[in-house]
Amino acid sequence: MSRQGIANFTTPQKAWIKGAADYMDHLGIKYSHNDLFKYHGMNKQQGWAILKEDLELANRTHHNSEFTKEQRRRPLKLSAKDLECCDRFLQDVGWDARVLTWDQLSTELDCHVCGNTLCTHLGSMDYMKCVACTKGWVSQKLAKKRISRSEDALKERPQPDDWKSVRFSDEVHWRVGPQGKMCIIRKPGERYCSDCIQEQLNRNDEKQWEAAHTWATIGYNFKSNLTFYNTPGNKNGKLSLRVVYRDQILEPVVKPWLVCGDTFTLEEDNDSGHGGGSGNNIVAIWKHKNKLDSYFNCPNSPDLAPIENCWQPPKQYLKQFPHWDEFETRELAYEGWQKQVTQQFINERVLSMPQRLTDCIEMEGRITDH
């Protein structure tokens, strides 16, 4: 049959012929091909050419047949049934499964595909990886306290230059191993609170990785070295009044600044190890004896302490290199602190304090973007 013989028939007409014949063949219905061809306005030669003879012309719509195996591309590595099992696993097991990496999830499900392939297939079901939120939730009681503290601080230090005499201190815990922020597999809309889904995670599982505990201080035109400290009796870096904070930080680090005549106010978070519990504990007595001027930041308010912004650059630096033991972790942390946290970066954040406090008040005590 020549090309001209079936050229007058459109692609949908050819598909109708092919589909009708396939359907009846599949169900075992007896029919006359001549009647089928005649019904669609073609002769026997044209009909058979479309059905089987001229592959170049007639089979261009071969893929439209639901009874013929798809041959235009490689078969999918995961079938619809496999994806259904993945979906059921993520729904039934819960967040313990959601925090696995794609490779770990593939191994758990015995999919025999790499993590990227599993990610692509689950992406068709709207599953995605998102970073576990670490932004704190603010209760009404805490919001009122944040507003009150911010108003008092603004009255005492209303101008950016007023904050040049404040040194902001904090502790951070570096983890052994190339772990970054925990990521969660979720679908859009899967949230368990108004802001984040972190409350569904067991954060205690992460403590086993905390190995290097550090204290540091920053201020206008001032940056201390990292002070690594030990926490006998616990692994979470919790400060104790005497063994850690007084003996490992205040005495060897802060006291020499006072002896040299440095004039500053030390900002601390409201950790009990900083001596905020009472005026008679050993840390409070040490501060009074050594004439250390200090104040406590509002609880759960990292956005009101510029030093919190200074931890992210060295943490990002740490992620660039494998670090499987405590010594490598400390060296990389020290390098990141020295190289990534510039004095200009610090000064800009210190001078932003009035704006931080103003934003906190205007946002009715909620966590700001600082």
Side-chain angles (χ1 to χ4, degrees):
M1 188 72 184
S2 66
R3 179 184 296 270
Q4 289 75 14
I6 59 175
N8 293 329
F9 296 99
T10 64
T11 298
Q13 288 176 315
K14 298 171 186 176
W16 294 334
I17 291 288
K18 185 70 175 176
D22 283 345
Y23 177 75
M24 288 186 285
D25 289 340
H26 178 72
L27 295 181
I29 299 175
K30 294 183 178 181
Y31 67 99
S32 169
H33 285 88
N34 289 337
D35 291 341
L36 177 64
F37 303 149
K38 184 178 180 180
Y39 177 78
H40 287 90
M42 61 184 66
N43 58 40
K44 181 172 63 175
Q45 289 78 13
Q46 293 169 329
W48 282 112
I50 292 174
L51 286 180
K52 65 179 182 178
E53 293 296 333
D54 196 334
L55 295 178
E56 179 183 357
L57 297 175
N59 284 344
R60 287 184 299 170
T61 59
H62 183 66
H63 60 274
N64 289 327
S65 171
E66 60 179 300
F67 310 112
T68 305
K69 185 177 179 180
E70 176 62 75
Q71 296 178 347
R72 290 178 301 160
R73 62 183 180 186
R74 292 183 302 172
L76 296 175
K77 293 185 178 181
L78 291 177
S79 65
K81 185 176 181 180
D82 293 331
L83 292 179
E84 182 182 351
C85 292
C86 294
D87 182 51
R88 188 182 302 112
F89 179 79
L90 290 171
Q91 295 294 336
D92 294 344
V93 177
W95 296 110
D96 289 340
R98 301 295 184 95
V99 299
L100 298 175
T101 66
W102 293 118
D103 287 325
Q104 291 171 338
L105 183 61
S106 177
T107 301
E108 185 73 23
L109 294 170
D110 198 22
C111 292
H112 303 293
V113 296
C114 67
N116 288 337
T117 299
L118 181 60
C119 174
T120 300
H121 282 72
L122 286 180
S124 66
M125 302 173 65
D126 291 330
Y127 276 109
M128 54 178 279
K129 272 285 188 184
C130 68
V131 176
C133 177
T134 57
K135 186 176 180 180
W137 176 77
V138 178
S139 65
Q140 291 184 353
K141 182 178 180 181
L142 177 58
K144 292 180 179 179
K145 182 178 291 187
R146 281 168 51 83
I147 294 173
S148 177
R149 290 285 193 91
S150 296
E151 291 174 342
D152 292 343
L154 272 178
K155 289 179 182 178
E156 184 176 355
R157 297 183 176 89
Q159 301 300 323
D161 287 349
D162 297 332
W163 292 91
K164 290 183 178 181
S165 61
V166 179
R167 294 182 182 179
F168 300 86
S169 66
D170 194 24
E171 298 82 36
V172 70
H173 313 291
W174 313 95
R175 298 181 184 181
V176 174
Q179 293 79 19
K181 284 188 177 180
M182 182 172 288
C183 288
I184 301 170
I185 302 173
R186 70 172 181 87
K187 282 187 174 181
E190 288 184 339
R191 293 177 179 270
Y192 285 81
C193 66
S194 60
D195 240 0
C196 62
I197 52 181
Q198 67 172 345
E199 298 302 328
Q200 302 299 316
L201 300 176
N202 183 5
R203 293 296 178 183
N204 292 326
D205 292 341
E206 300 183 55
K207 293 180 179 179
Q208 60 179 316
W209 296 104
E210 295 175 352
H213 312 300
T214 310
W215 180 90
T217 308
I218 58 102
Y220 190 84
N221 288 337
F222 178 85
K223 181 177 76 170
S224 73
N225 291 324
L226 295 182
T227 299
F228 292 92
Y229 61 87
N230 297 316
T231 56
N234 69 70
K235 296 182 179 180
N236 59 10
K238 177 70 174 177
L239 291 175
S240 60
L241 291 170
R242 179 177 64 84
V243 177
V244 179
Y245 197 49
R246 190 193 69 176
D247 295 349
Q248 298 186 46
I249 295 174
L250 293 178
E251 275 288 339
V253 181
V254 178
K255 188 173 182 178
W257 301 341
L258 299 172
V259 173
C260 291
D262 290 1
T263 302
F264 62 91
T265 299
L266 184 67
E267 181 272 349
E268 304 164 293
D269 63 33
N270 209 27
D271 190 286
S272 60
H274 294 149
S278 71
N280 297 321
N281 58 63
I282 58 175
V283 168
I285 294 173
W286 187 97
K287 292 178 181 179
H288 179 74
K289 178 181 178 181
N290 291 274
K291 299 180 181 180
L292 173 62
D293 186 19
S294 65
Y295 77 93
F296 296 110
N297 187 22
C298 184
N300 301 316
S301 301
D303 55 326
L304 302 183
I307 192 172
E308 296 288 349
N309 303 122
C310 297
W311 295 130
Q312 194 59 33
K315 284 185 176 181
Q316 292 295 331
Y317 181 81
L318 205 68
K319 292 179 182 179
Q320 300 177 33
F321 308 96
H323 47 286
W324 292 106
D325 63 67
E326 186 175 353
F327 299 103
E328 281 184 312
T329 301
R330 291 189 179 189
E331 290 178 0
L332 290 170
Y334 182 81
E335 290 177 11
W337 177 255
Q338 295 298 326
K339 296 178 180 180
Q340 305 298 315
V341 184
T342 65
Q343 193 59 59
Q344 180 182 355
F345 179 89
I346 294 173
N347 289 350
E348 291 173 354
R349 270 97 193 134
V350 171
L351 296 179
S352 71
M353 277 302 299
Q355 187 62 52
R356 292 169 184 253
L357 299 170
T358 301
D359 290 347
C360 179
I361 296 171
E362 292 179 350
M363 293 179 64
E364 299 179 344
R366 293 189 292 271
I367 296 292
T368 67
D369 294 330
H370 292 283

